[in-house]
Amino acid sequence: MPLPAPQSYAPGTFQPLTFHDAVPRFRDGSDTPRAYLERCLETIAELEPQVMAFAHRNEAGAREAADASTARYKAGGALSAIDGMPIGIKDLIETRDMPTEMGSAFYKGNSPGRDSALVQALRAAGAVVLGKMVTTELGMSHPGPTRNPFDLRRTPGGSSSGSGAAIGARMLPAAVGTQVLGSVIRPASFNANWALKPTQGGINRGERQGYSQSTVGIHAGSAEDMWSVAIEIVKRVGGDPGAPGLYWTGDDLPPAFKPRRLAVLETEGWAFAEPAAKAAFEKALDALNGQGVTILRRGDHPLLETLEQRILGAMELARDVCAYESAWSVANMMAKNPDALSDSLKARFELGCSITLPEYRGRLLQREEMRLAQAALAGEVDGFIGLPACGPAPLPGDTGGSSNRIVHTTGNPIMNTASSALGCPVVTVPVMAVDGMPLGLSVTTQPHQDERAAAIGRWIADAIPPIIV
């Protein structure tokens, strides 16, 4: 059966699914969390056979949780701003009531029967944990079945494929993703999501502590829902062990913050960005400049040029660091069932085994030098702005970003690897469209300035017109 014709995306007219604006209706009794859930399930029933965003669903458990939330609102005792919110969990993260198969044949049927820290926090806040979202194999580059809801021929991005696609398809108001290279920010861009990749360690990863650059991120249809989910998790379980966690000054989304100066962060990905994506980005910069924001390019400030020079090689750094850090765990899988692993994952394993301890230490030193170069700009600019992807979601067969047998087919992550290495917060703002497909704008700030990144993103979304190329 041929795939349906793509729908044309326009950021000014697309209406994402949101939750925060339904809460007043829950309080006055004109709507209920159970009715909201049923509307989500209707959309899922219609679109999931084509989009394939879910790895598992627990509809009975979700209905039970939504009924409990409905009763709390009726009694005037909602637990939090996200009480009753249907939410998806990336299938790398453990849930007590659904399998955790991590997009891998090796883990088929794996049911640990326990909740990760962030899932415990979501349930304690009253959120309705509806399903597990498709991930690439172990969160790496080998793709799952999910399609882009705006054009089913295209990738939704990875590794948070199902999380990004479910928001773009209006199946859910929010979903949890994770990122090591670009696995939150890139799929958010491809699927017209708001997304937060927080400061390193800002949201508790629970059992997923194996990578020094891994972070939990939030996909949502609105900035308000993105922020609420993040802080309601951190209120209850904090950040990673040894990390202070996300900082915030109020329970609501921070007020829009107009930046005085923004620096363009090209990264090494600029050379790979598509001409139409660059054209859209330049239009956005012109609009910001027209609102009185000073835009600095790398030739305008020596410290910005130093940062751009330091972050060259961030893609290779991420590849090597992740391969080294995962080699021991993949070794166990190779010993038990190598046939269940993709060739791309096996190539990562071989690379990890070839990297020496001195070489790994050299990569860590390189990463610290990147971070020092960013810190030097703390008093010079209010934040950084850039492209979260080389262009809109690519068609099948695109292998941009691949290295030998380590194959990327969910979009080149090279635009994201610098911010992942820097360990700083990034917010994706869905304000651009290229060739009828979504393309986000990324706002980056210094570590622990997550709230500022969200506030700048909110201001940009309100201040500039939709950019269509």
Side-chain angles (χ1 to χ4, degrees):
M1 179 182 297
L3 295 176
Q7 57 174 309
S8 183
Y9 167 77
T13 57
F14 176 68
Q15 295 294 318
L17 181 64
T18 56
F19 181 82
H20 67 280
D21 46 354
V23 171
R25 298 193 296 274
F26 299 161
R27 292 194 176 116
D28 68 22
S30 61
D31 194 6
T32 67
R34 174 62 185 268
Y36 188 102
L37 171 65
E38 293 300 331
R39 295 194 293 272
C40 290
L41 292 175
E42 288 174 5
T43 304
I44 291 166
E46 177 187 357
L47 299 180
E48 174 61 9
Q50 296 175 333
V51 176
M52 296 181 281
F54 286 85
H56 306 281
R57 295 198 300 276
N58 180 3
E59 295 186 7
R63 286 186 168 110
E64 183 179 342
D67 285 343
S69 177
T70 296
R72 288 192 293 271
Y73 278 103
K74 186 176 181 179
L79 296 173
S80 75
I82 62 170
D83 196 335
M85 176 189 281
I87 195 164
I89 308 296
K90 186 175 179 178
D91 195 27
L92 295 178
I93 298 167
E94 293 179 344
T95 48
R96 66 175 186 246
D97 53 350
M98 288 173 278
T100 302
E101 296 179 332
M102 304 189 219
S104 170
F106 185 91
Y107 285 103
K108 187 69 176 176
N110 176 55
S111 294
R114 57 180 176 256
D115 279 341
S116 186
L118 72 90
V119 179
Q120 291 180 33
L122 289 169
R123 295 193 202 274
V128 176
V129 178
L130 174 56
K132 303 297 286 293
M133 315 314 296
V134 169
T135 176
T136 60
E137 179 192 34
L138 302 181
M140 299 292 186
S141 56
H142 187 68
T146 309
R147 297 163 168 171
N148 191 297
F150 296 96
D151 183 349
L152 296 173
R153 301 170 302 165
R154 298 175 185 261
T155 179
S159 61
S160 303
S161 308
S163 298
I167 303 304
R170 304 183 77 255
M171 295 176 179
L172 294 169
V176 175
T178 66
Q179 176 163 317
V180 178
L181 275 73
S183 297
V184 169
I185 298 306
R186 189 173 75 263
S189 179
F190 289 168
N191 293 280
N193 300 175
W194 281 87
L196 168 67
K197 193 284 289 184
T199 297
Q200 183 66 46
I203 300 176
N204 195 321
R205 287 178 288 161
E207 70 281 1
R208 293 200 58 79
Q209 305 289 326
Y211 293 102
S212 62
Q213 286 187 190
S214 174
T215 54
V216 165
I218 310 299
H219 297 256
S222 67
E224 291 87 348
D225 293 340
M226 171 195 78
W227 189 249
S228 292
V229 170
I231 66 171
E232 293 298 342
I233 292 171
V234 178
K235 281 180 184 179
R236 292 161 176 81
V237 294
D240 287 346
L246 198 70
Y247 290 100
W248 69 95
T249 55
D251 286 350
D252 297 326
L253 179 69
F257 173 73
K258 180 180 178 179
R260 178 178 53 92
R261 292 204 291 182
L262 289 175
V264 173
L265 198 61
E266 291 184 357
T267 79
E268 61 186 342
W270 190 250
F272 300 90
E274 298 172 13
K278 288 182 176 179
F281 183 63
E282 295 298 338
K283 283 189 174 185
L285 294 182
D286 288 343
L288 289 169
N289 188 256
Q291 291 288 337
V293 179
T294 299
I295 303 295
L296 297 183
R297 308 299 288 251
R298 58 190 303 169
D300 297 329
H301 199 298
L303 290 177
L304 181 55
E305 178 60 31
T306 298
L307 174 59
E308 290 280 12
Q309 292 296 327
R310 290 286 188 273
I311 60 178
L312 289 174
M315 181 80 166
E316 287 187 2
L317 182 149
R319 180 200 64 195
D320 292 353
V321 166
C322 295
Y324 181 89
E325 291 172 348
S326 66
W328 68 270
S329 61
V330 180
N332 289 325
M333 301 171 72
M334 289 287 290
K336 187 174 182 180
N337 187 6
D339 293 339
L341 310 182
S342 70
D343 289 341
S344 186
L345 184 61
K346 291 175 182 176
R348 287 183 188 274
F349 173 65
E350 292 170 8
L351 174 63
C353 292
S354 72
I355 295 170
T356 66
L357 179 57
E359 288 171 337
Y360 176 67
R361 288 171 174 166
R363 289 302 198 189
L364 297 184
L365 176 60
Q366 180 186 1
R367 192 167 71 186
E368 286 305 309
E369 290 172 344
M370 292 179 181
R371 295 177 178 183
L372 287 172
Q374 184 192 28
L377 282 155
E380 303 294 321
V381 296
D382 295 314
F384 304 86
I385 192 166
L387 284 169
C390 294
L395 292 162
D398 186 291
T399 56
S402 300
S403 174
N404 297 322
R405 289 165 44 230
I406 301 174
V407 179
H408 289 276
T409 59
T410 60
N412 191 340
I414 197 166
M415 282 291 186
N416 316 120
T417 53
S419 58
S420 290
L422 291 169
C424 59
V426 184
V427 168
T428 305
V429 186
V431 293
M432 301 193 296
V434 171
D435 297 331
M437 291 293 293
L439 180 67
L441 198 66
S442 64
V443 176
T444 303
T445 51
Q446 297 287 343
H448 304 296
Q449 291 184 349
D450 306 68
E451 191 172 53
R452 172 175 284 191
I456 292 174
R458 182 182 191 181
W459 180 84
I460 288 173
D462 292 337
I464 70 172
I467 306 296
I468 299 176
V469 172

